[in-house]
Amino acid sequence: MSSLVLLAVLAFVVFIVLAALKNKQGGGSGSVGFPYQPAKTLFSAAERSFLGVLDQAVGSEHRVFGKVRVADVATVKPGLGNSARQGALNRIAAKHFDFVVCRASDLAVVCAVELNDKSHSSQRAQSRDDLLLKVCQAINLPLLTVPAKQAYSPQDIRSQFLAAISPPQVGASVGT
């Protein structure tokens, strides 16, 4: 009988130790030990500055949203095998557009906007930028790329935006 009590006490101690370890590793249901904290800011200073200008530039007929996941704008085509489908999803799952511009009337996405600062000169960033461009081309979504600078003209950004969302003219020559 004493060995049964000893076994029960040992099982209880093991249970307590495992529960304590689980809580320490963030497996608890409360906020203590849950491995998250508030992010510093949603936008960098340059992005905040540009957002104000972009809001002005697109006018009241459009709304601007920031940090939109690529996977919320583009979905993987049906008909792919499981492996190809998962691979395509994995390539865009953790990516986002700096901004997307939507029609105010129905919130349909009309343009993606990337603000490119000096961090976009790295090979990794260029690879990411190339992926975003190819996704936009595949889904026929204009991608407006704006170099980061100290100040922006709302009129210049509006001109670039309108040029990006305007359908190309048939027979028009480019670069002349």
Side-chain angles (χ1 to χ4, degrees), residues 10 73 89 111 132 142:
L10 183 60
V73 175
L89 183 59
C111 184
L132 293 183

Side-chain angles (χ1 to χ4, degrees), residues 68-172:
V68 176
R69 290 181 333 132
V70 174
D72 290 332
V73 175
T75 60
V76 179
K77 292 179 181 179
L80 295 175
N82 287 342
S83 178
R85 179 175 190 72
Q86 191 61 52
L89 183 59
N90 289 346
R91 282 193 296 282
I92 64 170
K95 307 286 189 288
H96 72 269
F97 293 109
D98 290 335
F99 305 99
V100 294
V101 180
C102 299
R103 265 193 314 265
S105 60
D106 61 1
L107 297 182
V109 178
V110 298
C111 184
V113 181
E114 283 294 303
L115 182 63
N116 289 349
D117 59 13
K118 61 183 176 246
S119 71
H120 286 257
S121 62
S122 74
Q123 182 63 37
R124 182 176 179 187
Q126 288 176 3
S127 177
R128 176 198 170 277
D129 291 347
D130 187 53
L131 172 69
L132 293 183
L133 176 62
K134 288 177 179 174
V135 168
C136 286
Q137 289 171 339
I139 65 172
N140 200 27
L141 177 69
L143 175 62
L144 175 59
T145 303
V146 179
K149 53 187 182 178
Q150 290 287 58
Y152 306 92
S153 159
Q155 295 79 13
D156 288 347
I157 299 298
R158 181 165 182 79
S159 295
Q160 292 175 47
F161 168 68
L162 292 174
I165 65 170
S166 297
Q169 300 299 315
V170 177

